[in-house]
Amino acid sequence: MGEFDLIRRFFQRGDGTQAGVDVGIGDDCAVLTPGPGAQLCISSDMLVEGRHFLSTVEPARLGHKALAVNLSDLAACGATPRAFTLALALPRADERWLAGFAEGLFALADAHGIALVGGDTTQGPLNLCITVFGEVPRGTALLRSGARAGDDIYVSGRTLGDARLALEVFRGTLGLPGEQFEAVRRAMELPQPRVALGQALRGVATSAVDVSDGLCGDLGHILARSGVGAVLEVDALPRSAILEAQPPAVRREMGLAGGDDYELVFTAPPSSREAVQQAAGQSATPVSRIGRIEAAAGLRFVDAQGQVLPLQLQSFDHFKTA
Ligand code: ADP
Ligand code: MG
């Protein structure tokens, strides 16, 4: 199977005509027409074998995750997904692997109504890079820079930290019974990007970021870009029953600094609490209020009684040596 056969067989679908796509796969560039008055939101995320995923992951789940992590960035900007490109380095053209990968990839693409419009394919160590293109009405993109002192801090989803629990099981630092491991493994391998919530938060949230490297680290980006600090109520974080059953130190570490959660952390003034609940209801996505933005720089932690907790946490950093 040659390079072009591979593209045609696994990545080119139908006759290539899709809403909003003037030219898709097969020419030198894809050509898209943005909606009237729209701004483009563009983001890339790369997944490297051994770094972001294990060689044993089911190909369909890898296809899902490669697109999910990118859609999560669009969600954090409140963007409506439009299209994506896929740059792929493969050690060999393994048909079973390619079929599975494409199945997971397109299932999520179809769920969000977006088209694969181009990419690049080369032989090499397994490496996936997706670029997503989304749109917002001009001036409405949610940014990291808009948080203000007094704003509430929210996080989406029912649990933070399950994906990291799965990683720790793979690393052998903790053990879980079979069905619990399967559940946290799903959280790690099949994250659900909060696209509908992000869109519903346009005009409501003052800032947003998606949690890829851990809640504290990613909230830290909001604080830095907005020039503010925050207090987090550690026990208000949403936790699964599986994480709840872990020792307190593990529970806090996984929730606050776990990573790979792909939930949205966002801020909004207390006057918008009802609007936030409406956005959550409209997008069928649970949200929890977990803290408050303050004028003084830094991130502080309190328990449910408001007692200060002296926690030291680090978020995931690819270039930091332990
Ligand atoms: P070029 O040489 O002009 O960069 P290629 O010959 O690499 O283009 O690719 C041919 C066509 O197939 C282009 O339209 C490109 O966007 C598309 N393409 C290549 N690889 C992929 C892929 N993995 N997924 C989707 N489209 C792809
Ligand atoms: Mg070309």
Side-chain angles (χ1 to χ4, degrees):
M1 180 170 41
E3 175 188 334
F4 299 105
D5 290 333
L6 186 159
I7 297 166
R8 213 172 303 118
R9 272 188 61 189
F10 295 102
F11 298 117
Q12 208 163 1
R13 302 196 307 166
D15 61 0
T17 56
Q18 271 146 311
V21 179
D22 304 301
V23 178
I25 290 175
D27 216 304
D28 292 305
C29 288
V31 182
L32 311 179
T33 304
Q39 279 178 308
L40 281 176
C41 301
I42 302 166
S43 180
S44 291
D45 253 314
M46 186 156 66
L47 271 71
V48 176
E49 180 172 10
R51 189 78 213 181
H52 301 95
F53 62 91
L54 306 165
S55 58
T56 51
V57 65
E58 233 178 81
R61 290 189 172 195
L62 186 59
H64 172 99
K65 185 161 177 178
L67 183 57
V69 302
N70 277 278
L71 288 174
S72 181
D73 285 317
L74 289 184
C77 285
T80 304
R82 286 284 313 275
F84 67 108
T85 61
L86 168 67
L88 194 59
L90 292 170
R92 71 200 89 78
D94 176 339
E95 298 192 16
R96 203 192 65 83
W97 189 93
L98 279 160
F101 177 81
E103 184 194 316
L105 180 80
F106 285 120
L108 186 62
D110 291 346
H112 290 275
I114 60 169
L116 175 59
V117 296
D120 199 20
T121 306
T122 173
Q123 201 264 330
L126 187 54
N127 190 347
L128 312 157
C129 182
I130 287 181
T131 299
V132 279
F133 303 83
E135 287 184 4
V136 289
R138 175 168 293 282
T140 66
L142 303 176
L143 303 176
R144 298 175 175 185
S145 51
R148 296 292 171 259
D151 282 356
D152 295 318
I153 303 170
Y154 298 86
V155 69
S156 65
R158 290 205 171 73
T159 170
L160 278 179
D162 278 13
R164 179 60 182 274
L165 271 184
L167 180 64
E168 294 304 326
V169 174
F170 278 116
R171 283 175 169 169
T173 65
L174 57 87
L176 286 176
E179 79 282 8
Q180 291 192 7
F181 173 58
E182 279 313 313
V184 295
R185 184 179 188 172
R186 282 183 72 83
M188 181 172 95
E189 295 179 345
L190 294 171
Q192 300 300 322
R194 301 303 192 181
V195 173
L197 176 64
Q199 287 175 250
L201 287 172
R202 290 200 301 243
V204 176
T206 50
S207 71
V209 68
D210 69 317
V211 183
S212 51
D213 296 331
L215 173 66
C216 292
D218 289 314
L219 174 61
H221 297 312
I222 288 184
L223 304 185
R225 295 292 296 265
S226 301
V228 293
V231 56
L232 272 190
E233 198 189 305
V234 172
D235 297 319
L237 266 54
R239 280 197 288 264
S240 66
I242 299 170
L243 188 54
E244 196 66 56
Q246 296 297 312
V250 174
R251 208 161 66 202
R252 283 190 175 144
E253 169 89 20
M254 306 281 120
L256 289 168
D260 247 9
D261 297 298
Y262 303 102
E263 295 296 348
L264 297 186
V265 176
F266 59 96
T267 58
S271 58
S272 297
R273 282 182 189 171
E274 209 163 298
V276 167
Q277 289 313 318
Q278 262 170 23
Q282 195 184 317
S283 59
T285 311
V287 303
S288 307
R289 186 150 50 84
I290 58 167
R292 195 177 59 248
I293 297 292
E294 295 183 331
L299 183 54
R300 291 162 287 281
F301 303 100
V302 296
D303 66 14
Q305 284 72 47
Q307 294 291 317
V308 174
L309 297 167
L311 299 177
Q312 291 293 327
L313 296 156
Q314 288 192 335
S315 75
F316 196 81
D317 182 329
H318 286 285
F319 292 102
K320 206 178 270 171
T321 45

